[in-house]
Amino acid sequence: ASTLGASAAQSGRYFGTAVAAGRLGDGTYVGILNREFSMVTAENEMKMDATEPNPNQFTFGNGDRILNQARSQGKRVRGHTLAWHGQQPGWMQRMEGPSLRSALVNHITKVAGHYRGQLYAWDVVNEAFADGGSGGRRDSNLQRTGNDWIEVAFRTARAADPGAKLCYNDYNIDSWSAAKTQGVYRMVKDFKARGVPIDCVGLQSHFGTGIPGDYQTTIQRFGELGVDVQITELDIAGSGTQQAENYRRVTQACLSVARCGGITVWGIRDTDSWRARETPLLFDGAGNKKAAYNSVLNAL
Ligand code: XIL
């Protein structure tokens, strides 16, 4: 097939991108989006600060714009994200304890409820584990409400939208040998054993100029727990043949594991990227296909 989405579909997978509502008036951007991708994630528009700028006052305009554009083109949408220490509205950053826990449950109920039945998956909880060697939770206002906050978030999301796959999403859980990966693995295993509703693990996969040698092992091992694995925010620094080879490796790793359901790149053109200076995406600033694009297309 001649596009990323159609090629991924040959093995029952999707190929997605992050979309910014502010770029939906850019014809080059929308042209590539409509042609190449079969899944969409809102880059910022469904986050907590965007959807609940004031307590219990919800704004879905930009999230709905992205959802409707994608659905009008026959694409599916991943929701990102219901619970995160980052990009919280100011009022929530200043909360703690039982009132924060209640606000979190209300947020998940209202946002997942608004999109009920319309999303392929939700990143229910984002980046809750600590970097470094502890393998434990990251300190945050949400974590300080009690260690059960993650399972409460997943149960609340399931009740609000029973049709969406519910994912735990994080970065630096790509290498199987990393303590952070092992910590997330233990949580997912525990959730599956106790019946906490979790359907997928998202590997953000923000890479520098190298891919961990045990990346495929990570995908395989999570899959063996009975959850889907999704590569949710892929971008890889570099250019030319080295970048193309790294993109090939990531694509190959996903295709080698049955439970790896799809790949999403975190933006369309290098100039759209949050890491623009590292030129980490598949299209250059003019919208031309890079070597990395051809490498992915050939590997799918
Ligand atoms: C980034 C966006 O790309 C930026 O536009 C924004 O300023 C900050 O957030 N992990 C995530 C994403 O889960 O939500 C982040 O997106 C990138 C890192």
Side-chain angles (χ1 to χ4, degrees), residues 278-291:
E278 297 171 282
T279 61
L281 294 174
L282 301 179
F283 295 86
D284 70 18
N288 299 305
K289 296 169 180 175
K290 295 167 59 181

Side-chain angles (χ1 to χ4, degrees), residues 127-263:
E127 301 183 350
F129 277 71
D131 294 315
S134 76
R137 299 287 181 84
R138 169 195 298 278
D139 180 56
S140 72
N141 59 345
L142 295 171
Q143 179 63 28
R144 290 190 294 271
T145 69
N147 204 51
D148 63 341
W149 74 276
I150 297 182
E151 61 195 84
V152 168
F154 275 85
R155 292 189 199 279
T156 304
R158 182 69 101 219
D161 185 358
K165 290 181 189 275
L166 304 183
C167 304
Y168 176 79
N169 191 53
D170 215 329
Y171 66 92
N172 283 354
I173 57 167
D174 310 291
S175 173
W176 178 243
S177 63
K180 187 172 176 180
T181 308
Q182 293 300 312
V184 173
Y185 180 84
R186 282 192 293 273
M187 179 188 73
V188 175
K189 190 175 183 185
D190 171 58
F191 280 12
K192 294 299 285 184
R194 291 192 295 113
V196 178
I198 184 167
D199 306 303
C200 35
V201 171
L203 307 182
Q204 291 185 8
S205 301
H206 296 294
F207 289 125
T209 53
I211 311 301
D214 53 4
Y215 186 56
Q216 188 177 311
T217 300
T218 304
I219 298 171
Q220 178 81 36
R221 291 295 180 91
F222 275 116
E224 285 166 5
L225 291 178
V227 291
D228 291 347
V229 180
Q230 303 172 6
I231 298 171
T232 54
E233 305 183 13
L234 179 63
D235 48 20
I236 309 177
S239 62
T241 53
Q242 188 201 30
Q243 184 180 47
E245 169 61 9
N246 284 333
Y247 264 103
R248 187 197 65 75
R249 281 187 201 167
V250 171
T251 306
Q252 182 63 51
C254 181
L255 264 70
S256 299
V257 179
R259 294 289 313 229
C260 186
I263 300 173

Side-chain angles (χ1 to χ4, degrees), residues 9-86:
Q10 291 171 347
S11 68
R13 293 180 173 85
Y14 64 81
F15 205 99
T17 187
V19 168
R23 298 189 204 271
L24 289 176
D26 177 332
T28 305
Y29 181 88
V30 174
I32 299 169
L33 169 61
N34 290 352
R35 186 184 75 221
E36 295 287 343
F37 298 99
S38 53
M39 186 72 76
V40 160
T41 305
E43 186 172 0
N44 291 296
E45 292 79 351
M46 296 187 190
K47 292 175 180 174
M48 301 179 104
D49 57 351
T51 52
E52 195 178 358
N54 297 296
N56 204 33
Q57 289 184 8
F58 293 87
T59 51
F60 296 114
N62 283 330
D64 288 356
R65 246 164 241 129
I66 291 173
L67 177 79
N68 293 334
Q69 200 281 339
R71 284 166 63 93
S72 77
Q73 295 287 321
K75 304 178 197 312
R76 293 180 289 178
V77 177
R78 299 185 76 266
H80 175 79
T81 176
L82 293 169
W84 187 22
H85 69 276

Side-chain angles (χ1 to χ4, degrees), residues 102-119:
S102 299
L104 174 69
V105 168
N106 183 59
H107 180 84
I108 294 171
T109 300
K110 299 284 175 62
V111 177
H114 175 80
Y115 290 111
R116 181 180 174 113
Q118 302 188 81
L119 299 180

